[in-house]
Amino acid sequence: SDVVDFFGEHQAGIVTPAQDRLCFAALNVLTEDRAELVELLTRWTAACARITQGLDVTDTGFDGGSQYAPPQDTGEAHDLSAGHLTVTIGFGRSLFEDKDGKDRFGLRERMPEALIELPHFPGDTLDPARTGGDLCIQACADDPQVAVHAVHNLVRMGFGIVSTRWMQLGFGRTSSTSKSQNTPRNLFGFKDGTANLKAEDPELLNDHLWVRDGTWMDGGTYLVARRIRMIMETWDRESLMGQENTIGRTKGTGAPLSGGEEFTAPDFAMQGAGNQPIIPKDSHVRLAHPETNNGVQMLRRGYNYADGTDRLGNMDAGLFFIAMVNDPRTGYVPIQNKLARQDALSEYLRHTGSGLFAVPPGIPNEPGAYVGQQL
Ligand code: HEM
């Protein structure tokens, strides 16, 4: 079956083996009425329970209702199967308090401390039109039409209550979240997702991914989204050796430069010519590795994107980075600060969009339960 259960202890789309396609949307909440927001989350939950099984949003579907009312499903996924669709919902800091500090829905005192305003990182060139959001929807599936259909219908159902702030499509996963998966490649041609938190390591997930604090977030996580443009025109002129030294792994098998196979642990102490470390000091894997980050690990679940060209004819393509961590203050911010300053890879990257969302725990399969109800 290609159905992933929407209900459970944790939301689907986190440790679910990463599907190949992404449609991600950040939304603004327009209403000031808390009951209206709750009602929308309730309708979204019912819709997600159906579309993740490959069904239309309602029984009436896209062509069975009144001739005089808009259809209850937009229809583009009607003939398609579930395609492992997962829909993961998150809450932005601005849902709890607006930029003037106003408590929008009486939720401010329940705002988690970990739901920070992400700091400005060195080299950030964020586009405000691709940054922030009160809510996020991460829809992943085998088929892009299925993923887009999910976001399309949730937005349609929220007409007048929410509006789309920005949206991102991703066409190829850049991570593995299960040991059953092959490691895919990013647009720089390197295997990506070798060293990642994986579904088969529940203890590591409890230490690094799931919030375990007894609050409404218990069993949830935090989703960091970064739209990272990759400067192909520069990278593609770099020598193979230069590329491998930048990453710290070989381009072919993805093995660490210190030797072995893809999943051999890197040996950061090993030295080569001139007593220089074989895995360079400024390589991406050395700087991102838990050994140099107080043991911190993240679950990366990003996607390749290609959004046409800029006005100079350069590709606007790269990696829509998604990481899930149980505390972005320790699990993301320090690493990103370090990478931005020291990582040789940063020369080829430009962060152009950003978001941080609290992803509440899963939804029990019970009548009346809805996403975010714990809050
Ligand atoms: C590992 C590419 C951005 C964190 C890797 C690997 C590649 C890669 C090729 C080695 C394979 C693997 O172990 O998965 C990229 C590219 C990026 C990017 C092309 C940007 C477009 C980031 C960012 C972060 C990050 C922004 C975090 C702030 C990591 C971590 C690892 C890793 C934690 C595993 C390191 C280890 O334990 O060995 N990345 N990365 N990456 N990356 Fe990135």
Side-chain angles (χ1 to χ4, degrees):
S1 149
D2 65 352
V3 174
V4 179
D5 195 355
F6 177 68
F7 298 101
E9 187 195 351
H10 308 293
Q11 287 197 62
I14 302 170
V15 294
T16 308
Q19 306 92 319
D20 210 45
R21 306 296 177 132
L22 167 81
C23 180
F24 190 98
L27 311 177
N28 294 328
V29 175
L30 307 174
T31 183
E32 293 176 4
D33 180 354
R34 177 166 163 159
E36 215 171 40
L37 181 59
V38 167
E39 198 255 341
L40 177 64
L41 293 171
T42 307
R43 287 190 290 122
W44 276 4
T45 300
C48 290
R50 289 183 56 97
I51 59 177
T52 52
Q53 297 178 60
L55 302 170
D56 289 337
V57 167
T58 65
D59 268 336
T60 334
F62 76 111
D63 70 343
S66 161
Q67 290 287 321
Y68 303 100
Q72 293 185 5
D73 187 293
T74 54
E76 68 268 35
H78 180 74
D79 308 306
L80 305 174
S81 72
H84 293 109
L85 173 67
T86 56
V87 182
T88 317
I89 309 276
F91 299 149
R93 184 183 167 95
S94 53
L95 187 72
F96 297 82
E97 78 173 20
D98 70 11
K99 58 182 186 319
D100 305 319
K102 188 173 151 230
D103 187 357
R104 295 175 64 189
F105 299 101
L107 296 172
R108 187 171 50 192
E109 65 179 35
R110 311 202 69 200
M111 180 166 74
E113 281 177 12
L115 190 58
I116 53 169
E117 194 85 63
L118 284 178
H120 176 88
F121 297 105
D124 268 4
T125 50
L126 301 183
D127 176 355
R130 297 186 192 275
T131 297
D134 300 330
L135 298 175
C136 78
I137 306 170
Q138 176 201 263
C140 302
D142 304 336
D143 181 336
Q145 181 109 345
V146 169
V148 170
H149 170 260
V151 170
H152 184 186
N153 279 273
L154 298 193
V155 168
R156 177 189 58 79
M157 293 167 66
F159 186 75
I161 306 170
V162 292
S163 67
T164 334
R165 184 180 170 95
W166 51 274
M167 202 165 145
Q168 182 68 52
L169 291 183
F171 62 82
R173 64 183 170 93
T174 57
S175 76
S176 305
T177 53
S178 162
K179 291 179 179 168
S180 66
Q181 296 185 290
N182 292 329
T183 314
R185 289 180 190 271
N186 59 38
L187 294 182
F188 281 169
F190 275 75
K191 287 196 179 184
D192 203 340
T194 303
N196 199 17
L197 285 180
K198 301 210 167 138
E200 291 82 4
D201 292 320
E203 281 176 24
L204 290 177
L205 299 180
N206 275 329
D207 289 348
H208 301 281
L209 175 69
W210 304 124
V211 175
R212 297 293 185 198
D213 65 356
T215 71
W216 65 270
M217 271 297 284
D218 201 291
T221 187
Y222 292 88
L223 184 157
V224 182
R226 302 285 289 182
R227 185 175 184 275
I228 309 179
R229 184 167 168 191
M230 295 164 41
I231 313 303
M232 309 297 167
E233 291 74 11
T234 320
W235 178 264
D236 296 344
R237 291 193 191 111
E238 189 58 72
S239 69
L240 177 60
M241 194 208 287
Q243 293 184 359
E244 292 184 335
N245 281 333
T246 299
I247 299 294
R249 290 180 175 274
T250 67
K251 197 162 187 175
T253 64
L257 294 182
S258 48
E261 303 297 323
E262 182 188 350
F263 292 100
T264 307
D267 179 351
F268 294 117
M270 187 183 282
Q271 297 192 334
N275 291 344
Q276 290 302 309
I278 287 194
I279 302 178
K281 286 214 165 80
D282 61 354
S283 65
H284 183 63
V285 297
R286 178 190 285 267
L287 293 167
H289 196 270
E291 202 172 284
T292 58
N293 293 290
N294 299 316
V296 160
Q297 299 187 43
M298 50 182 87
L299 183 122
R300 289 174 292 134
R301 213 177 186 286
Y303 287 84
N304 296 320
Y305 79 84
D307 291 345
T309 54
D310 64 16
R311 275 177 295 177
L312 300 171
N314 293 323
M315 291 169 73
D316 181 0
L319 196 155
F320 188 70
F321 177 90
I322 296 176
M324 320 263 197
V325 292
N326 60 12
D327 192 336
R329 294 168 298 180
T330 48
Y332 177 74
V333 172
I335 303 185
Q336 179 56 42
N337 258 321
K338 188 166 82 170
L339 295 181
R341 287 193 172 84
Q342 302 174 30
D343 187 358
L345 185 61
S346 294
E347 191 187 322
Y348 307 94
L349 307 180
R350 201 169 297 151
H351 289 237
T352 58
S354 178
L356 172 64
F357 301 92
V359 175
I363 305 116
N365 192 357
E366 292 163 4
Y370 63 90
V371 61
Q373 189 169 19
Q374 299 89 343
L375 170 62

